[in-house]
Amino acid sequence: MNAFARTAAVVCMACAMSGGVANASPPDRSSIQGCAPPPTVTDGAIPWAQLQLAPQRVWKVTRGQGVVVAVVDSGVDPNSPQLAGSVLAGKAVSGAADSDCSGQGTFVAGIIAAKQVHGIGFAGIAPEARILPVRVLDGQGNGDPAALAKGIRIAADSGARVINVSTTTSQPSADLESAVAYARSRDALVVAAAKGGEDGSVTYPAAYPGVLAVGAVNETGQPGAYAETGASVELVAPGEGVVSIGPGGAGHWQGSGTAYATPFVSATAALVRAYRPELTADQVAQRLLATANPSGGAVPDPNTGWGMVNPYAAVTAAVAAGGAEARPGGGAAERVEHPVVLAPDPMPGRIVVVTAGSAIVIGVVTWLVSVLVPAGRRRGWRPAREVVADGDTDPR
């Protein structure tokens, strides 16, 4: 059995004819050269994940401008309309980087950097980030730890500031651990899907020091049906019924699994790296952990780690620098208070209104004085008309 496999995920490739997206099992792809058919259905509503994370709150500050995010996966289709102009020339360990048979890499890239399009509710979390495809899987989604290790090194050498790894292996690999350490030495933040079982088993590279390990939750904030939990989970993100793009078409798919929770965190890291370029990769990881929305219990929680990633707080909160030893692998994660958006102060507006009103009154009085005083002097201050007993007026 191949020791290297994709994180548990189901992608919807046959969507409801109503115009929305719906869960479905992947169809038989053998009739389409063994690859997933292009997505054809588009939903105009904003997906639940984007509604909860509300990335538009931070887009006035940063959209991830210019930050290179490597998608180490199955390749990325650069011709997908919502990724137009955002995909760099890719690298490939297996196959061609601009070809994506399974669709996972394109789906992941869309969650990170898909652009806003009028009439479409879905958009990526960091729509001005740049995607670097690094293909390590073949057309059937198979690979091995050595290919993944090589892909991570290629991503680091190619200038990626964030490296998204949505694929996992259950077997430790010295080569893979070394590749993660190499990426850290190049100040690249590795964000990886984390799968841990109740028996204490973990997956790699998420379990290696310095990797930001991501779990998946559903709309209620609980681990999703396709997510496994464990001590290796540091941060969670939407991973059940999330929407993104696919290769070969302008429509959208729906998918579930930690593979699709991971890019929400990678995109948030891109937002931070664009706005705070002075921070190291470990400091960015610290910031994401410290500003996450906790699940309600003590942190880190065994199921949700430090909590749900929060793009707005990750960018805007004041987070004190901490010692690297406080978090295994680097970066302290002291809990911080989230920024509070105060209600507008009505007093400045009232002052403006009163000032403007006073100016108007003064202007009117000045005009009346300039008109009435000369007229009164000319009449000797007598009334302009005198009322007589029979109701007629006697002009003067």
Side-chain angles (χ1 to χ4, degrees), residues 162-295:
V162 181
I163 301 176
N164 185 96
V165 184
S166 287
T167 56
T168 65
T169 177
S170 59
Q171 295 184 1
S173 161
D175 192 19
L176 185 55
E177 184 174 12
S178 176
V180 168
Y182 179 75
R184 291 187 65 200
S185 73
R186 300 299 297 266
D187 195 35
L189 175 60
V190 180
V191 183
K195 291 176 60 183
E198 294 180 357
D199 59 355
S201 62
V202 296
T203 51
Y204 304 92
Y208 288 130
V211 177
L212 192 54
V214 182
V217 294
N218 59 25
E219 194 168 352
T220 66
Q222 299 302 310
Y226 297 99
E228 296 182 50
T229 59
S232 64
V233 174
E234 291 185 286
L235 203 60
V236 293
E240 186 170 293
V242 298
V243 173
S244 189
I245 58 177
H252 298 85
W253 287 341
Q254 186 181 82
S256 295
T258 49
Y260 305 137
T262 306
F264 286 102
V265 176
S266 294
T268 302
L271 294 174
V272 174
R273 302 217 80 166
Y275 187 66
R276 299 177 181 273
E278 75 282 1
L279 297 182
T280 66
D282 285 343
Q283 288 172 330
V284 173
Q286 170 198 345
R287 174 171 283 274
L288 266 61
L289 296 177
T291 57
N293 293 330
S295 59

Side-chain angles (χ1 to χ4, degrees), residues 55 58-59 62-67 69 83 86 109-115 123-131 263-264 266-272 274 311:
V58 79
W59 284 347
T62 173
R63 291 171 175 251
Q65 299 91 329
V67 174
V69 181
L83 285 179
S86 297
I111 291 174
I112 296 170
K115 293 181 173 64
I125 302 299
E128 292 185 10
R130 309 295 299 278
I131 297 296
F264 286 102
S266 294
T268 302
L271 294 174
V272 174

Side-chain angles (χ1 to χ4, degrees), residues 74-78 87-100 106 132-135:
S74 60
V76 175
D77 179 9
V87 182
L88 302 172
K91 313 287 184 178
V93 177
S94 173
D98 61 353
S99 175
D100 184 12
T106 304
L132 173 67
V134 180
R135 182 171 171 176

Side-chain angles (χ1 to χ4, degrees), residues 5-6 29 33-35 74 94 101-102 135 137-143:
R6 286 179 293 171
R29 298 177 294 181
Q33 298 179 338
C35 296
S74 60
S94 173
C101 184
S102 70
R135 182 171 171 176
L137 304 179
D138 63 19
Q140 286 68 48
N142 299 317

Side-chain angles (χ1 to χ4, degrees), residues 286-287 318-322 332 334 336:
Q286 170 198 345
R287 174 171 283 274
V319 179
E334 298 179 5
V336 302

